[in-house]
Amino acid sequence: MMNAKTSTQALPGQRQTKQRALVYEVIRESKGPLTVPEIHVQVRQTMPRTGIATIYRTVKLLHSSKWIQAVTMPDGETRYESADLGHHHHFQCKICGEVLDIDHCPMSLAPGAELPGGYILHEHEITMYGICPRCR
Amino acid sequence: MMNAKTSTQALPGQRQTKQRALVYEVIRESKGPLTVPEIHVQVRQTMPRTGIATIYRTVKLLHSSKWIQAVTMPDGETRYESADLGHHHHFQCKICGEVLDIDHCPMSLAPGAELPGGYILHEHEITMYGICPRCR
DNA sequence: CTCGAAAATGGAAATATTTTGCAAAAAATT
DNA sequence: AATTTTTTGCAAAATATTTCCATTTTCGAG
């Protein structure tokens, strides 16, 4: 199944480059949101001369063009993931630090619910912490 | 009404200093969570020679001693607020941007639960977004 | 297909933020 | 008040991100 943003489509910006296509591909194929250094490591496995500045520039471009979205972790770390994912949450392993997507939503309140004090709920984000199978 | 962490009580760490007492007082008396530079500005109004390193060190000490807690804003900014609250979550108004504590926990999974993939849940943090009564 | 203009890249330098080293000052102990 | 130990202020170092610029790459015109 193809949608409007497969890697064969034009990337945002003036020129289509191998670095931009690869940055977007790495983010798309990740099991969870990635930091800029993590993207850099993966991109260099294919294009070893890629500089960190290119990752920063490309991530900013993809983000401002809505191809990817930023996820700020509660510890302040910024991670990026594809913008066309469905509703999901994040789990971070307290030992290895890896972050991955959790499709199951453990939220007991529905959108539109009224919280004590008269607050109307629209969206929510949940970050879970624990131990991944590899670290057990 | 006095609780265990009024400014007359001992502060965490080895020595009780004027700088530490003042940092904690500034955070306690703020109407909202503060950044390190904001705390620095306020502390220097009383103790002008206070260095930014002392604010970073003191905030880290107060935080690791659980006297204050960190709140990461959606843009990645880290702010600190007094921490004499129990388990709670955060609600941010999408119109005015105000962030406030929500005592009700809408989490349907208990600590120790196993998520699909073999991940063991320990803690969680929930940020809710919606509209506050004032903005309706 | 080749050329040339414009944009992107890599690497380094510049910025910005947070942490650390250390001599002097302050706090607790005697 | 003297001694010991911790903390502070300042500067330097470590980190993280952005900008600069010469070279390389993209891509459209011919």
Side-chain angles (χ1 to χ4, degrees), chain B residues 44-100:
Chain B
R44 287 177 78 124
Q45 288 173 7
T46 303
M47 300 186 65
R49 307 203 67 73
T50 307
I52 189 90
T54 296
I55 310 297
Y56 276 107
R57 283 183 291 230
T58 303
V59 154
K60 182 182 280 187
L61 178 68
L62 292 170
H63 184 238
S64 63
S65 305
K66 308 285 176 61
W67 283 55
I68 63 174
Q69 62 195 21
V71 181
T72 302
M73 306 306 286
D75 64 358
E77 201 173 48
T78 301
R79 291 172 172 271
Y80 297 92
E81 64 183 5
S82 183
D84 49 11
L85 301 156
H87 180 71
H88 69 283
H89 298 291
H90 290 153
F91 181 98
Q92 181 168 37
C93 178
K94 294 196 289 185
I95 294 175
C96 67
E98 187 195 6
V99 178
L100 80 148

Side-chain angles (χ1 to χ4, degrees), chain B residues 15 33 39-40 49 72 95 110 113 115 118 122 126 136:
Chain B
R15 298 280 161 89
I39 296 164
H40 190 213
R49 307 203 67 73
T72 302
I95 294 175
L115 298 163
H122 288 186
I126 303 179
R136 275 207 269 166

Side-chain angles (χ1 to χ4, degrees), chain A residues 5-131:
Chain A
K5 289 178 180 175
T6 47
S7 54
T8 54
Q9 296 296 117
L11 289 162
Q14 302 297 314
R15 297 281 159 87
Q16 183 162 359
T17 68
K18 290 164 185 169
Q19 290 88 342
R20 286 179 181 173
L22 186 50
V23 166
Y24 183 55
E25 187 188 335
V26 162
I27 293 170
R28 285 208 121 226
E29 294 183 354
S30 171
K31 292 169 302 180
L34 300 171
T35 62
V36 164
E38 285 167 358
I39 297 164
H40 190 214
V41 166
Q42 289 207 45
V43 165
R44 288 176 78 122
Q45 286 173 9
T46 303
M47 300 186 66
R49 307 205 67 74
T50 307
I52 189 84
T54 297
I55 310 298
Y56 277 107
R57 281 183 292 230
T58 303
V59 153
K60 183 182 282 188
L61 178 68
L62 292 169
H63 183 236
S64 64
S65 304
K66 306 286 176 63
W67 284 55
I68 63 176
Q69 60 195 26
V71 181
T72 302
M73 304 301 289
D75 65 357
E77 199 173 51
T78 301
R79 292 172 171 271
Y80 297 92
E81 64 186 5
S82 182
D84 58 7
L85 297 170
H87 182 69
H88 68 283
H89 297 293
H90 296 117
F91 181 99
Q92 182 166 37
C93 178
K94 294 197 288 185
I95 293 176
C96 68
E98 191 194 3
V99 177
L100 79 148
D101 296 333
I102 298 289
D103 288 337
H104 174 251
C105 176
M107 179 65 167
S108 65
L109 289 173
E114 183 170 337
L115 297 164
Y119 299 84
I120 304 299
L121 178 64
H122 288 186
E123 294 82 25
H124 64 271
E125 291 178 23
I126 302 179
T127 305
M128 290 167 266
Y129 300 93
I131 311 294

Side-chain angles (χ1 to χ4, degrees), chain B residues 11 14 20 23-24 26 49 51 58 66 68 79 81 92 99 101-103 105 108 125 133:
Chain B
L11 289 161
Q14 302 297 316
R20 286 178 181 173
V23 167
Y24 183 55
V26 162
R49 307 203 67 73
T58 303
K66 308 285 176 61
I68 63 174
R79 291 172 172 271
E81 64 183 5
Q92 181 168 37
V99 178
D101 298 332
I102 298 289
D103 289 337
C105 176
S108 65
E125 291 180 24

